[in-house]
Amino acid sequence: MDLLRFLIALFVLMSFSLSQSISAKVMIGVSSENGESLKYSRKQFHGELKSAYSCVINQLDSNYDVITVPQARLIKMLQNNEVDIAMPLLLLPQRDLFATRSATIYQVGYELISHSTNPDLSIENLRRQANLNGIVYKRGTGARTLMLKYLGIDKNESISHEHQVSTWQQAVDFVAKNRAGITALPAVIAKDIEPHHFNGVTRIKMPDYQLGLYMSSRFAKSAVATVIKDASKTCKEFR
């Protein structure tokens, strides 16, 4: 009889645990700093990047919640397993250290911003300007990494001075007012900034970079994560 009670209790416990795992909602974090390129409101994604990301997330049916937070906080939450999925994010080696990347969902263009009084746009001179006048970038983003890579500067190399700002527009303004020599920002974000902020700067097209989503180390071990990984490989065709 005791064995029977034990088996019944074990069955109930396992059933409860299974139901909890099935019903547990996936927590999705969306960066609040994408301009108009990707937003979430009224239970829908909006913006230029919505097609592929919607395609991926729709594989979860309705079993998810979405929060919108500043990107620096989103990265921290991803590291701490406080969100299961974080997007949209550049796929960068330093993020691979604490989270699992998806396939490339979009290729995004970046612009390097230099002061207009700088007539020589060679990589060598731009690198010299960065070292002489410093760089500025939006905190919590991959702009610094991409900028230094483009200029051929080692990420660990010391630069005269660096500024971190809260918005992409502030980064552009720093260069326009000659408070820094170089900055970089996504082309989709640049489109949302009023044209007059680019007075006094030169805009240089950089290569396209990989954009996708990241899954927390805990969530990446789940069966649902496999669904997201597979979806990212097919949904990237929606552009």
Side-chain angles (χ1 to χ4, degrees), residues 196-217:
H196 68 85
H197 288 281
F198 293 97
N199 293 339
V201 304
T202 298
R203 302 166 68 172
I204 304 164
K205 186 181 184 305
M206 297 171 66
D208 290 346
Y209 296 99
Q210 298 178 4
L211 188 69
L213 58 83
Y214 272 94
M215 293 169 281
S216 70
S217 58

Side-chain angles (χ1 to χ4, degrees), residues 33-46:
E33 297 158 6
N34 307 299
E36 297 299 318
S37 61
L38 187 69
K39 292 185 175 182
Y40 187 81
S41 64
R42 298 181 180 178
K43 298 185 177 182
Q44 287 188 337
F45 290 99
H46 305 271

Side-chain angles (χ1 to χ4, degrees), residues 15 41 43 46 57 60 74 100 121 123 152 160-161 191 213 225:
S15 299
S41 64
K43 298 185 177 182
H46 305 271
I57 299 305
L60 299 173
L74 178 60
T100 299
L121 300 181
I123 295 295
S160 58
H161 50 275
K191 291 194 303 185
L213 58 83

